[in-house]
Amino acid sequence: MDIDTYKSNLNTVKELILDENKIVTYVSLSKDLCIHVNDAKSLLHQIVQDIRKDRPSTKLYVCYIISGLQGNNCGITTVCTEDDVEKIKKSLKLVFYDHVYCVSRGLQAADNAVLSSLNRFEDLSLCTGLIKSDICTKRTENELGSLISKKRTPIVEPKTPSIQHKKSNEKVKEIVKSSIENFAKLSSVKPEPKIKSEPEKDVQNNPKTPPKNKNNKTPPKSSNNKPAGKGIAGFFNKSNGVSSKVKSSEPKSQTPVENVKIKDEPLHSNSNLTSVEESPAKKSKEVTNHNKSLTLIKKNAKVDKKRKRVLHVSDSESDTEANDPFANEMDVDHESEDEIPPTPTINTVKITSGIVNPKKRRKIVDKTYTDEEGYILTKKEEVYESCSDNEENTKENDNEAKENGVKEKNVKKFESSKNTSGNRDQVKQTVINEISPKQNKKKKVSPTQKGNQKTINSFFKKL
Amino acid sequence: MFEARLLRSSILKKVLEAIKDLLTQATFDCDDNGIQLQAMDNSHVSLVSLTLRSDGFDKYRCDRNISMGMNLGSMSKILKCAGDKDTVTIKAQDNADTVTFVFESPNQEKVSDYEMKLMNLDLEHLGIPETEYSCTIRLPSAEFARICRDLSQFGESMVISCTKEGVKFSATGDIGSANIKLAQTASIDKEEEAVVIEMEEPVTLTFACQYLNYFTKATSLSPQVQLSMSADVPLVVEYRIPDIGHIRYYLAPKIEEEDS
């Protein structure tokens, strides 16, 4: 990410938090800005620091997600308020990672319903670099609704020693899916009282320890924690089973402020994917699949290539244009002749702007132009692409495959429509050429066709 | 007062199925002899002639001659409400503008009646001269239906050629040509399955497959169909309805103009 992009992203997020009073999670950020989840995390961290520095009077509510190993060698992943960070970290024998989970202005972000609706399961696949378990499932609306009202205690999952080693080295990326699954299992099988009470106990007993994120120093913590913790716990437990909006894969994001997920999952460092318990093969598959989908999206971007937009997250404006298939065609016609079709690059990222329109995707596409002097220039441009609900609803792997299929179809359709509009005459001619010989043949070959159909009236007279 | 009662509604249902694709509306002429229907399709290429004799009905009463113009689509909908084994009674008052269909289940436990509005249709009866046909072919109706269906895949028209060797159905189209030859059956074990050809002189005529396919909707009415042909006159496709009458289709041939 270059400096300009970083700054513009920073401003965008600040606007979201300060002006629009939105709750921003690293998942939503990754999705909306089309950036790697790790970048989203660091961006959130930076923003918290900046805001607190520039506007000390502004109250920020920051949630952290912490994963580590407890004394009994049980793994735990929890989302907690800023106040609880240190306590929880103290209670952990080993901290795998901790980072900002979500930021909001003056709000108590512990509202499970809000978080779950913010990080939708469908969006998870759009986040670059997010690791998701195959076991993740999407919860139904009813399930979510009922879960929100229930208060449940956190669940702890036992971790295997092998996992611990691997995890210990890495920070940052959490794998939500597995944790969620485990969650569900644990909730029914191994609820541990210790863990359930963990957050509260931690708050009371543990002395505050310096959190990783120094930024987190907000006032409303204590008051916020109580309600949030209970509600979240309940939400978590149920959500682990099946959530409507958030699927298991990235449910971490949905989560609850206080609580804990237990993980078996692998942590992966910024660049390296160290798979812990889950087979590395799966992850690599996911990664490759993702790349494939990205490539396809880039291809599709050709269709929309005319749409040049400044990366800007807005709520409504672009909908009509982006969704209008004819607009794309029109654009194509206006395209300069010098333009070379966009080159698909690995950097291309698909973004679903949840903020603007979940059915739209914004992509960054490398476009190559020849300027007046004959130099070839490559620019990164954003294009919008509409995507169907079906694509969003399917599971990740299926999703990618389907998306690819659908997009390819779209491209084909588009091309065919192009042909028909642009080369109508030619098409007509070819059609005529194809048909006419047959018709001629018919006339020549079949004597049957030669006859004129007589009417009955010519044989029978009226009475 | 007109009242006609059939023990099995299935006959009437089959009759309707046999004509409703070809005709949208028709006039049923009722008199002492029975019910007759004559109508041309919209394009006036074919003509349907239906005769249901009064003695074929379980009960038949016709005080005055009456012509009932009916929408065949509506009539078909009503008849679909009847079970095959139901008894059907058609009733109409003199000069009434409605007709009533009464369906009674075999055990009389269920009786339903449906009233349908009649239509004023222009009567266009055509005089069909008695003709001595050069060729008459009797064959199983199912076989004829199969031939029409198969050949219609090859072209819009079918050539029926009757010679002393037998009858040949042929069609030609984009995908190629098809010929089906039927020879007269040597030994007739079952009359229904026999192919019988009576020929005075060879005839070759061309007809539209589409109409022939419409005619074959009557296949369920009779196990046999009779084709009668003479040069330059309409083909007659006749299905005899056991014990009650017949349905005849007349189809104008396609005639090649001399100029071409």
Side-chain angles (χ1 to χ4, degrees):
Chain A
M1 193 171 8
D2 58 28
I3 298 177
D4 291 340
T5 311
Y6 183 77
K7 282 182 180 176
S8 74
N9 286 344
L10 213 56
N11 289 332
T12 305
V13 180
K14 278 182 184 174
E15 285 175 6
L16 286 175
I17 297 173
L18 299 177
D19 298 340
E20 300 182 26
N21 290 329
K22 289 191 173 175
I23 300 174
V24 178
T25 69
Y26 69 91
V27 174
S28 66
L29 210 55
S30 168
K31 179 193 64 177
D32 295 335
L33 297 183
C34 205
I35 57 178
H36 195 282
V37 282
N38 287 350
D39 291 335
K41 291 169 189 172
S42 57
L43 198 62
L44 270 187
H45 179 76
Q46 185 62 42
I47 283 166
V48 172
Q49 281 184 327
D50 288 353
I51 293 178
R52 286 187 171 154
K53 185 181 174 184
D54 299 340
R55 307 181 179 191
S57 60
T58 302
K59 289 184 178 181
L60 281 185
Y61 184 86
V62 185
C63 282
Y64 288 83
I65 183 166
I66 303 175
S67 181
L69 198 62
Q70 289 183 315
N72 55 0
N73 282 342
C74 286
I76 183 174
T77 301
T78 182
V79 175
C80 64
T81 60
E82 209 169 0
D83 292 340
D84 297 336
V85 170
E86 314 224 345
K87 297 169 191 173
I88 292 177
K89 282 169 96 175
K90 266 197 169 185
S91 70
L92 297 176
K93 193 168 72 177
L94 182 63
V95 177
F96 299 144
Y97 62 79
D98 71 318
H99 61 76
V100 179
Y101 179 78
C102 71
V103 179
S104 61
R105 182 187 184 188
L107 295 176
Q108 188 171 343
D111 188 329
N112 296 334
V114 173
L115 286 176
S116 62
S117 63
L118 192 60
N119 295 332
R120 303 190 311 160
F121 185 83
E122 295 82 0
D123 297 337
L124 298 183
S125 59
L126 302 175
C127 299
T128 314
L130 198 68
I131 299 175
K132 191 171 89 172
S133 167
D134 291 337
I135 316 166
C136 289
T137 55
K138 184 179 179 179
R139 295 178 192 175
T140 63
E141 298 282 352
N142 291 339
E143 204 173 3
L144 268 186
S146 63
L147 288 178
I148 290 172
S149 62
K150 295 186 180 180
K151 299 176 180 180
R152 290 207 179 181
T153 55
I155 299 170
V156 177
E157 205 181 332
K159 282 192 176 182
T160 60
S162 62
I163 299 171
Q164 301 169 2
H165 290 296
K166 296 178 181 178
K167 289 182 179 177
S168 60
N169 298 332
E170 309 155 358
K171 257 189 177 182
V172 187
K173 292 187 181 179
E174 339 92 44
I175 304 167
V176 180
K177 12 167 181 180
S178 59
S179 67
I180 292 178
E181 284 187 358
N182 295 332
F183 231 4
K185 290 179 183 176
L186 292 176
S187 61
S188 59
V189 180
K190 307 177 180 178
E192 294 184 8
K194 270 189 177 182
I195 299 172
K196 292 181 179 179
S197 58
E198 186 182 43
E200 294 176 0
K201 288 181 181 177
D202 289 343
V203 174
Q204 296 172 355
N205 302 330
N206 300 335
K208 293 181 181 178
T209 59
K212 271 191 175 182
N213 302 324
K214 297 177 181 178
N215 307 329
N216 314 329
K217 302 172 183 177
T218 50
K221 310 171 185 175
S222 61
S223 61
N224 293 337
N225 296 337
K226 286 185 181 178
K230 290 182 181 179
I232 293 172
F235 179 73
F236 256 147
N237 288 339
K238 284 195 174 180
S239 66
N240 292 335
V242 186
S243 77
S244 65
K245 291 185 178 179
V246 183
K247 293 183 183 177
S248 57
S249 57
E250 308 183 7
K252 30 174 173 181
S253 54
Q254 303 177 347
T255 48
V257 177
E258 294 186 357
N259 270 350
V260 186
K261 298 178 178 180
I262 302 171
K263 309 173 161 188
D264 296 338
E265 356 150 339
L267 300 177
H268 83 283
S269 60
N270 292 337
S271 57
N272 303 328
L273 287 179
T274 17
S275 61
V276 183
E277 300 146 5
E278 296 182 2
S279 65
K282 283 185 180 178
K283 291 183 179 179
S284 62
K285 279 183 182 179
E286 285 183 3
V287 173
T288 53
N289 287 338
H290 199 67
N291 289 336
K292 284 181 182 177
S293 67
L294 290 180
T295 312
L296 284 177
I297 292 171
K298 291 175 186 175
K299 287 181 182 175
N300 292 335
K302 288 182 180 179
V303 175
D304 299 331
K305 57 186 174 183
K306 296 310 176 176
R307 200 152 295 285
K308 304 170 184 177
R309 289 179 181 264
V310 176
L311 176 57
H312 176 70
V313 180
S314 66
D315 282 313
S316 57
E317 300 172 356
S318 54
D319 292 355
T320 54
E321 289 183 9
N323 289 332
D324 184 6
F326 297 105
N328 290 336
E329 291 186 8
M330 295 293 290
D331 289 341
V332 173
D333 294 337
H334 297 303
E335 203 170 2
S336 69
E337 295 177 359
D338 292 338
E339 183 172 348
I340 298 170
T343 313
T345 61
I346 300 174
N347 294 332
T348 304
V349 180
K350 60 179 174 183
I351 304 175
T352 298
S353 79
I355 299 174
V356 179
N357 179 353
K359 293 184 179 179
K360 240 192 307 172
R361 290 183 184 181
R362 204 183 326 145
K363 302 177 214 164
I364 298 173
V365 178
D366 284 352
K367 287 189 174 183
T368 310
Y369 302 90
T370 0
D371 65 6
E372 297 173 351
E373 299 176 3
Y375 291 103
I376 296 177
L377 303 177
T378 304
K379 292 181 181 179
K380 287 187 177 182
E381 293 181 356
E382 287 190 3
V383 294
Y384 279 89
E385 183 203 6
S386 60
C387 62
S388 66
D389 290 336
N390 294 336
E391 290 176 5
E392 294 178 358
N393 292 334
T394 50
K395 291 180 179 179
E396 184 175 336
N397 290 336
D398 292 341
N399 235 346
E400 291 174 357
K402 285 185 180 179
E403 282 180 10
N404 297 342
V406 171
K407 288 175 182 175
E408 285 175 352
K409 284 180 183 176
N410 290 337
V411 172
K412 286 179 182 176
K413 284 182 182 175
F414 180 77
E415 288 173 353
S416 64
S417 64
K418 242 183 162 183
N419 289 335
T420 50
S421 61
N423 306 324
R424 265 184 197 170
D425 295 339
Q426 293 180 0
V427 174
K428 277 185 181 177
Q429 284 179 353
T430 53
V431 171
I432 291 171
N433 290 336
E434 289 176 4
I435 295 174
S436 60
K438 293 179 182 177
Q439 289 175 342
N440 294 334
K441 280 182 185 176
K442 263 192 181 177
K443 287 178 182 175
K444 291 177 183 175
V445 174
S446 118
T448 313
Q449 313 282 353
K450 289 182 179 177
N452 288 335
Q453 178 66 63
K454 299 292 181 185
T455 61
I456 282 287
N457 291 328
S458 58
F459 300 98
F460 303 143
K461 301 299 176 188
K462 288 185 183 179
L463 289 177
Chain B
M1 170 81 178
F2 170 77
E3 184 174 349
R5 177 187 171 95
L6 267 177
L7 283 181
R8 290 290 178 93
S9 68
S10 59
I11 293 177
L12 200 54
K13 293 172 80 169
K14 288 174 184 174
V15 167
L16 253 290
E17 285 301 309
I19 62 176
K20 75 180 177 63
D21 290 341
L22 207 53
L23 311 172
T24 54
Q25 52 198 24
T27 300
F28 290 79
D29 298 312
C30 308
D31 57 22
D32 287 339
N33 298 323
I35 302 174
Q36 289 189 329
L37 176 151
Q38 189 198 82
M40 286 185 288
D41 71 291
N42 287 335
S43 54
H44 290 201
V45 170
S46 66
L47 180 142
V48 182
S49 173
L50 169 72
T51 297
L52 300 175
R53 296 188 306 271
S54 58
D55 56 17
F57 289 89
D58 179 45
K59 177 183 177 184
Y60 190 88
R61 172 188 169 190
C62 184
D63 299 338
R64 284 185 180 184
N65 292 354
I66 180 173
S67 293
M68 297 184 291
M70 297 190 199
N71 181 304
L72 298 182
S74 305
M75 185 178 176
S76 176
K77 284 179 184 174
I78 289 175
L79 289 175
K80 279 181 181 173
C81 300
D84 282 348
K85 294 180 181 177
D86 285 358
T87 299
V88 58
T89 305
I90 306 171
K91 292 180 182 177
Q93 298 295 329
D94 295 338
N95 299 322
D97 58 354
T98 61
V99 61
T100 303
F101 297 88
V102 181
F103 305 135
E104 299 168 59
S105 62
N107 53 13
Q108 302 291 318
E109 289 177 349
K110 178 183 175 186
V111 178
S112 47
D113 64 275
Y114 300 85
E115 190 178 74
M116 187 179 75
K117 292 177 183 174
L118 294 175
M119 310 168 71
N120 287 322
L121 301 176
D122 293 334
L123 295 177
E124 260 197 4
H125 282 290
L126 298 181
I128 302 173
E130 289 192 4
T131 309
E132 290 284 330
Y133 288 96
S134 305
C135 297
T136 302
I137 305 150
R138 277 202 307 276
L139 71 161
S141 59
E143 183 66 47
F144 179 63
R146 177 66 187 264
I147 290 170
C148 293
R149 191 191 68 188
D150 292 347
L151 293 191
S152 62
Q153 299 180 92
F154 285 81
E156 296 174 354
S157 303
M158 176 193 301
V159 178
I160 303 177
S161 176
C162 188
T163 61
K164 59 182 180 182
E165 285 83 20
V167 59
K168 185 174 79 171
F169 303 87
S170 52
T172 307
D174 296 336
I175 61 175
S177 62
N179 295 289
I180 300 172
K181 294 175 185 173
L182 292 179
Q184 181 154 310
T185 309
S187 60
I188 305 176
D189 293 335
K190 292 183 180 178
E191 193 177 343
E192 297 173 352
E193 297 175 359
V195 176
V196 179
I197 300 171
E198 297 171 4
M199 188 202 78
E200 293 181 358
E201 58 184 31
V203 177
T204 298
L205 288 174
T206 303
F207 302 99
C209 289
Q210 180 187 4
Y211 289 94
L212 293 173
N213 278 318
Y214 285 142
F215 300 166
T216 57
K217 301 287 182 186
T219 299
S220 59
L221 279 172
S222 172
Q224 273 224 326
V225 61
Q226 177 174 302
L227 312 180
S228 303
M229 294 193 304
S230 278
D232 296 336
V233 299
L235 163 76
V236 183
V237 180
E238 177 179 344
Y239 293 87
R240 291 183 182 165
I241 308 170
D243 302 329
I244 194 170
H246 62 257
I247 182 168
R248 288 182 186 146
Y249 299 96
Y250 295 84
L251 178 61
K254 289 185 171 181
I255 297 176
E256 191 173 349
E257 292 180 0
E258 294 176 357
D259 296 344
S260 62

